[in-house]
Amino acid sequence: MKPLRAALGIALAAALLAATPTARADEVGVSKDAILFGQAAALEGPSSQLGQRMRHGIVAAFNEVNAKGGIHGRKLQLISRDDGYDPDRSVVQTLRLIDDDKVFALIGAVGTPTAMATIPITSAREVPFIGPLSGAALLRDLELTNVVNIRASYSAETETIVRHLTEDRHFTRIGIFYQDDSFGRDGLKGVKNALAKRGLELAVEGTFERNTRAVGGAWRTIKRAEPEAIVMVGTYGPSAEFIKLAHRSGVYPTFVSISFVGATALAKELGPDGDGVVVAQVVPFPWDRSIKLVADYQAAQAAFDPTLAPDFVALEGYLSGRLVAAALEKAGPNPTRAGLLRTINDTGRFDISGSIVTVGARALETPPKVFLTVIQKDGTFKPIDRL
């Protein structure tokens, strides 16, 4: 009987051990002591400030979490690969992250055209695609269950912009300068819809090619229409070149950009020409330390690199990093890709340092906020209160 009792005791102990929620490492990108994330974004080239600052924010968030012991004993790590804000390169780098680096999830991708190229890959493989820097409508299809958006849509941004221009400024002649691709056309559609709601039409439109500063043709077209305001849908380089060209021509319409421009990079590029340029934002004001999220972000970024200044894009990256950490904590000690997505979508509402982030269906009920800022003479930003 003793051998039988011993065997039963061993079996019972094994069963109890199996039922205990200890951390396992049986998912891609998850090891005993780490969870590996991947980022394919512009880290070099004309749009590099966007990818770099998203990375700064994500790493700052991960370092903050890791300093407190990580998630269920695991540290969060990030591998970033440069795609140059080019769809073909983004496909290559995304595949490298998934197949070679074997990341658990993707985070902090930059851009609509790159997302259009890579979403089919991540969706087919059910790889989480967290916090892309894009407000494109295509990413907000609820059937894309692997995509987690934290920012407002471009339609929400353009509605806020047009409402400000028409109701606060009382402008009726509004033009648009946009990147000639899926990103720019998404912004174009949003502006047209917002104007149509008010019985207005675009006064003029001009385009430029992605990853270039060839904006002369667009300016010549737009200048002839003499718009009172110009909505810009592009990155900081061509947008700054466009504004400077207008000022050199002696023309000073009101310029308003959507958030993807990279506001602080735009202000730096513009210098004195930035005075009065309005930029939409989708995260809290990154200098307002009365907001706990901002205070935590500033502290985390200073710990990561004290030379970095507060930045809208970096704060967005930080928010994405904190969101995924909160979801992993809630998902439990044995993380899986499916489990992470299920937790995010089922929860739908996360409290990140006192600021509420809504995702998935909950974001339709309570959309992320949009507010406007204006660049001052010294290159700093001021929130616009009146809307």
Side-chain angles (χ1 to χ4, degrees), residues 54 106-109 129-134 147-150 316 320 323:
M54 278 293 282
L106 295 168
I107 188 170
F129 194 81
I130 312 292
L133 183 66
S134 171
V147 179
V148 179
N149 297 289
I150 67 166
E316 186 169 342
S320 293
L323 172 71

Side-chain angles (χ1 to χ4, degrees), residues 189-264:
K189 181 180 179 181
V191 172
K192 284 185 173 181
N193 288 344
L195 287 172
K197 284 173 59 176
R198 295 159 173 85
L200 298 172
E201 294 183 353
L202 269 174
V204 65
E205 58 184 82
T207 66
F208 69 97
E209 185 178 342
R210 182 178 60 245
N211 281 337
T212 76
R213 295 192 181 212
V215 301
W219 170 241
R220 287 189 293 273
T221 298
I222 291 174
K223 180 183 178 181
R224 287 194 290 269
E226 299 182 347
E228 299 165 291
I230 301 171
V231 180
M232 300 185 299
V233 185
T235 53
Y236 55 90
S239 296
E241 186 65 30
F242 184 77
I243 293 170
K244 288 180 178 181
L245 186 56
H247 289 175
R248 287 198 297 269
S249 302
V251 182
Y252 293 84
T254 295
F255 293 100
V256 189
S257 176
I258 65 169
S259 64
F260 184 81
V261 72
T264 52

